Amino acid sequence: MVKAAILRGYGEPLTIEDVELTAPGPDEVLVKTAAVGLCHSDLHAMQGLYQFPLPAVMGHEVSGVVLSVGEHVHDLAEGDHVVGCLSVHCGHCRQCEAGHQVLCQSPQVKAPPGELRRLAQGDTQVNQIFNLSGFAERLLVHRRALVKIRQDMPLDRAALLGCAVLTGTGAVFRSARVAPGSTVAVIGCGGVGLSTINGAAIAGAARIIAIDTLPAKLEMARTFGATDVIDGSVMDPVAAVMELVGGVDYSFECIGLKATAEQSYAMLAPAGLATVIGLFAPDVKIELPGIQFLQEKKIQGSFLGSSLLNIDIGRLVELYLKGDLKLDELISKRIALQDINEGFKDMQQGTVARSVVVFP
């Protein structure tokens, strides 16, 4: 038996309950959870924006220590430190071989909620979400859902590499390939947005403009590398960007709203590139002025930073240990599992960059 935070109804608080885990199958790994970050994707799921069978255990921004492995797992062993991959990938399908690991849909390694039977309460199935279910003291996952990391990397900070930091920095390094000396605008200064700003600074962008409606987040953005800030609650972000730099080479939308996605395109300089990172409601449609395509402006999506997970997570570890990647500053609070609902309240109020559940 292990403790887990379970979602039993959309719009309801999570409940801390005991769950049972099955023994690792041939390609599975049992991990002692060290830390798990609270992500807006989890909050959206709790609110019912994206629905799946209940009861369920969410949590995907996770790190831990390997306890045991299945008989076919030869590259991980007891005691290894690992980071969970939100996008478990097979490594050999068409998407993986083309370098798009985050788009892997192989049923060999991932399954829709309700199909896997790794968690239970007696005869009642508890559903695994995102193929991880990190809001628990243990997690049982496919081997391809884990990346081994250096043992000297602090695990509470390593947890963030699996989603927020990978998404933001990957959008800069891989999706957009930001060039040194360029101009960048980032709309939304939560965990993903701050990581995007940090990534742009590491990439050598000359001007990094942070846009948000909360002064506290804009002040934090300066810590992560923003050279300019715009309060979207008191001025038009597009007009402000145009006044500052005449349009940016790269923009990043990190919220998931129709208005901000359209702004990300409107604030581009000719030949600029807008990268949309934010998570949208399923029915949202974006409208763009067709005449601006004559200026060769481009817009693209990015999921998990278009990352190569087994390569990029290790590189982010090295950047942190070198002092370039700001993870300490990203963690606003460390909380216990029983305080997880308070952590999500803090998120909704916009008072934290990231809260991390730390397990003893």
Side-chain angles (χ1 to χ4, degrees):
M1 288 281 191
V2 300
K3 295 290 184 184
I6 296 180
L7 179 66
R8 292 198 167 275
Y10 296 113
E12 298 179 5
L14 302 177
T15 57
I16 309 301
E17 304 177 33
D18 290 327
V19 298
E20 307 162 45
L21 279 73
T22 61
D27 297 303
E28 293 179 334
V29 181
L30 180 65
V31 176
K32 180 183 185 299
T33 311
V36 58
L38 305 191
C39 178
H40 262 96
S41 300
D42 297 311
L43 181 61
H44 290 322
M46 290 166 60
Q47 294 170 333
L49 184 64
Y50 298 93
Q51 298 197 359
F52 41 76
L54 299 179
V57 177
M58 297 178 302
H60 57 273
E61 200 174 69
V62 62
S63 65
V65 179
V66 173
L67 292 174
S68 60
V69 302
E71 61 179 325
H72 293 167
V73 179
H74 304 295
D75 53 348
L76 288 174
E78 180 182 351
D80 284 346
H81 289 196
V82 291
V83 169
C85 297
L86 172 56
S87 180
V88 53
H89 55 284
C90 69
H92 54 74
C93 69
R94 179 180 178 184
Q95 295 291 351
C96 285
E97 289 188 343
H100 305 300
Q101 290 180 350
V102 299
L103 301 180
C104 175
Q105 297 298 318
S106 171
Q108 296 176 338
V109 297
K110 63 174 60 182
E115 183 170 319
L116 294 174
R117 300 185 178 275
R118 292 170 174 158
L119 308 173
Q121 290 179 318
D123 295 332
T124 302
Q125 178 180 346
V126 178
N127 296 292
Q128 189 177 53
I129 304 303
F130 305 131
N131 295 280
L132 286 169
S133 291
F135 291 160
E137 294 173 325
R138 303 282 188 275
L139 59 150
L140 179 64
V141 298
H142 193 281
R143 184 269 165 272
R144 300 291 295 190
L146 300 170
V147 171
K148 181 180 176 180
I149 61 170
R150 289 171 51 164
Q151 299 246 351
D152 56 344
M153 176 67 189
L155 285 169
D156 57 341
R157 276 139 282 188
L160 303 184
L161 301 180
C163 183
V165 178
L166 189 72
T167 297
T169 59
V172 171
F173 301 152
R174 290 203 181 270
S175 302
R177 300 183 183 273
V178 168
S182 58
T183 53
V184 171
V186 178
I187 306 175
C189 297
V192 172
L194 292 173
S195 296
T196 305
I197 291 167
N198 193 182
I202 294 171
R207 296 285 291 272
I208 305 171
I209 304 167
I211 303 166
D212 206 289
T213 58
L214 295 176
K217 288 193 172 182
L218 292 173
E219 191 59 35
M220 191 177 297
R222 292 189 185 275
T223 302
F224 282 76
T227 59
D228 306 88
V229 298
I230 294 172
D231 187 338
S233 68
V234 298
M235 63 183 75
D236 174 48
V238 176
V241 167
M242 291 302 178
E243 183 177 346
L244 277 173
V245 295
V248 291
D249 301 313
Y250 305 92
S251 66
F252 297 88
E253 196 281 344
C254 304
I255 302 174
L257 297 175
K258 171 181 166 64
T260 49
E262 293 169 358
Q263 289 170 354
S264 72
Y265 188 78
M267 64 180 58
L268 291 175
L273 172 62
T275 301
V276 178
I277 306 173
L279 185 64
F280 290 79
D283 59 346
V284 171
K285 293 180 174 59
I286 297 170
E287 300 175 278
L288 302 174
I291 191 67
Q292 292 193 17
F293 289 116
L294 296 178
Q295 296 183 333
E296 297 194 5
K297 296 181 180 182
K298 299 172 284 292
I299 188 167
Q300 66 177 357
S302 175
F303 175 59
L304 275 180
S306 310
S307 300
L308 296 176
L309 299 135
N310 49 330
I311 295 174
D312 293 344
I313 288 176
R315 288 178 175 174
L316 291 172
V317 168
E318 298 300 329
L319 285 171
Y320 170 75
L321 294 175
K322 183 185 173 188
D324 293 335
L325 188 66
K326 298 182 181 298
L327 299 180
D328 301 60
E329 298 87 345
L330 195 57
I331 300 177
S332 302
K333 286 186 177 181
R334 292 173 174 82
I335 61 176
L337 184 64
Q338 59 263 31
D339 299 320
I340 194 168
N341 290 308
E342 292 302 315
F344 280 112
K345 287 180 183 177
D346 290 338
M347 179 189 294
Q348 290 177 287
Q349 293 168 0
T351 59
V352 296
R354 217 57 166 186
S355 292
V356 177
V357 174
V358 178
F359 292 84

